[in-house]
Amino acid sequence: MIGYAPSDPAPSRLRKLKIVVSGGFGTGKTTLVGAISEVRPLFTEAPMTQASEGIDRLDGVECKTTTTVAMDFGRVTLPGPGAEPDIVLMLFGTPGQDRFNSIWDDLSHRAAGAVVLVDTRRLEDAFAVVDYFEARHLPFLVAVNLFDTAPRYLLDEVRQALRLGAHVPVLACDARKRESVRDVLSDLVAHALSYLPASAHAVLGARP
C-alpha cells in the first residue's frame, strides 16, 4: 500500500493523476476531499432551498443544509512505490444530484480512476454512478462510507447488491479521517495503474 507524503517533492519527481470522487447525493464526497487535501480545498457548495424539495431525497441525511453545485477540488501527494516518482492526485468531487450530470463528463475527462462513495442507507443511489463509470471503462473502486447511523454490511454483501465484478475493489471508509481516505486513494492508484496501465500511464504528467 502506498503511504502518504504531506509535503511537495521536487518538481522533477512529480507525476500527476486526475481522480474523480463521485457518488450519490449526501454520500460524503466533500468531506472526503476536505479530509485529505494538502492544500486548501475548493468547494462550490450552496445552501439547499425550497426549490429542491421533492427533488433531492434527504432520507438518512435530514441534517444536510448545503450541496455541491459544480465541483470540489483538492490535492494530495503520495510517494510512488519503490523508486517510482511521487504521484500528485488532483481530486475532483462531482455533484451528487442527477440534474448536474452534465458536469460529470467534464470532470471525468482524462481521469485515471474514480472513487464511488456509497451510503448503505441509500444504496440504490449507487447504481447510476457505477453504471456511469462502467460505460466509460474508467477504473473505479467502491468505498462504503461508515456513517455512524448507517447499517453495517459485509463488503461482499455490498458487492453482490451492486452487482460488481470481482475486479472492482470494495473497501470500507470513514470519509472524515485522513488515514482512511489515504488508504482508499492508495488502493485506487494501484488499481487504476494495473487495470488499465496504458490509459493510466498516458495521463501521468498531463494537466487535468
Side-chain angles (χ1 to χ4, degrees):
M1 185 170 292
I2 303 173
Y4 172 66
S7 59
D8 282 341
S12 61
R13 290 275 297 162
L14 293 179
R15 300 185 297 172
K16 290 183 180 180
L17 286 177
K18 183 178 182 181
I19 299 297
V20 176
V21 179
S22 193
F25 176 66
T27 54
K29 300 177 291 295
T30 298
T31 299
L32 184 148
V33 173
I36 194 66
S37 182
E38 63 193 11
V39 299
R40 184 175 181 177
L42 168 68
F43 298 133
T44 58
E45 288 202 305
M48 297 179 64
T49 65
Q50 290 183 338
S52 66
E53 291 184 3
I55 299 175
D56 296 332
R57 290 179 50 237
L58 296 177
D59 311 32
V61 289
E62 291 83 1
C63 294
K64 188 172 177 61
T65 59
T66 61
T67 184
T68 299
V69 295
M71 69 172 187
D72 299 321
F73 174 78
R75 187 189 75 186
V76 62
T77 304
L78 302 179
E84 290 294 314
D86 296 315
I87 300 173
V88 176
L89 302 184
M90 316 299 285
L91 306 175
F92 290 82
T94 67
Q97 299 96 319
D98 291 342
R99 62 183 179 276
F100 296 122
N101 279 0
S102 60
I103 301 174
W104 287 33
D105 290 338
D106 293 332
L107 297 182
S108 299
H109 180 62
R110 295 181 67 87
V115 174
V116 177
L117 268 180
V118 166
D119 181 350
T120 57
R121 297 169 299 184
R122 303 152 61 93
L123 197 59
E124 66 278 6
D125 292 351
F127 282 103
V129 186
V130 167
D131 288 346
Y132 179 89
F133 293 115
E134 285 185 338
R136 285 154 182 79
H137 306 289
L138 185 67
F140 70 94
L141 60 71
V142 169
V144 180
N145 198 0
L146 300 176
F147 288 96
D148 293 335
T149 59
R152 299 291 193 262
Y153 298 103
L154 296 175
L155 296 181
D156 280 345
E157 292 178 319
V158 174
R159 178 187 300 280
Q160 292 174 13
L162 295 179
R163 305 187 188 112
L164 299 171
H167 63 283
V168 179
V170 181
L171 310 173
C173 171
D174 188 332
R176 301 167 297 183
K177 297 182 178 178
R178 178 186 297 269
E179 293 298 312
S180 182
V181 174
R182 179 208 63 188
D183 290 345
V184 167
L185 294 176
S186 297
D187 283 2
L188 175 62
V189 169
H191 176 60
L193 295 181
S194 63
Y195 183 59
L196 284 179
S199 174
H201 282 285
V203 298
L204 289 174
R207 299 183 62 150

